[in-house]
Amino acid sequence: MVKETTKNKVKLSEGFKRKWTDALLSGKYKEGAGLMYNPEDKSYDAVGVAYRVSGVDNKNIAKRAFPSGKQYRFLPLPLYQNSDFIAKIADFSDKGLSFKWIASYINRNL
């Protein structure tokens, strides 16, 4: 899942990036803000969708605004190592930017 670039910067594998952006664009996940997964309205932020694509169950991300501690281990290493990028994606969701916009951002920047 990890690819090195010539600038010694870690990037997501194309496979995971494609799964994540496809999931964001699929319409399967109701767009939400503030929580990775909100069980009350069954909505996700974009980081929550990354966890679902990684195989993490909703109960493990429910009512959490941001990954912490051991939760990071479920993400691909490049995301695990780049909490600033995760924070930026969470912020985009919190600001109400669409999953379509976020998927485009991910494709351009990872």
Side-chain angles (χ1 to χ4, degrees), residues 18-32 41-44 49 53 98-101 103:
R18 186 174 30 259
K19 285 181 186 177
W20 189 12
T21 56
D22 285 354
L24 289 169
L25 298 172
S26 71
K28 177 180 176 183
Y29 299 95
K30 181 179 177 184
E31 295 184 38
D41 66 1
K42 296 184 168 78
S43 67
Y44 298 82
V49 175
V53 168
S98 71
F99 281 175
K100 181 179 179 180
W101 190 94

Side-chain angles (χ1 to χ4, degrees), residues 45-58:
D45 74 0
V47 177
V49 175
Y51 272 95
R52 292 297 292 144
V53 168
S54 295
V56 177
D57 191 274
N58 284 338

Side-chain angles (χ1 to χ4, degrees), residues 1 51 54 56 60 67-77 79-81:
M1 275 194 166
Y51 272 95
S54 295
V56 177
N60 291 314
S68 62
K70 292 180 181 180
Q71 284 184 310
Y72 275 110
R73 74 179 185 267
F74 296 111
L75 292 174
L77 186 62
L79 290 179
Y80 180 91
Q81 293 176 329

Side-chain angles (χ1 to χ4, degrees), residues 85-103:
F85 188 82
I86 291 293
K88 186 178 285 192
I89 297 298
D91 189 51
F92 291 156
S93 284
D94 291 345
K95 288 180 178 176
L97 294 171
S98 71
F99 281 175
K100 181 179 179 180
W101 190 94
I102 294 169

Side-chain angles (χ1 to χ4, degrees), residues 8-38:
N8 213 13
K9 210 175 181 187
V10 179
K11 288 191 70 141
L12 272 182
S13 72
E14 287 300 316
F16 183 82
K17 183 166 67 170
R18 186 174 30 259
K19 285 181 186 177
W20 189 12
T21 56
D22 285 354
L24 289 169
L25 298 172
S26 71
K28 177 180 176 183
Y29 299 95
K30 181 179 177 184
E31 295 184 38
L35 298 171
M36 291 191 293
Y37 174 67
N38 184 339

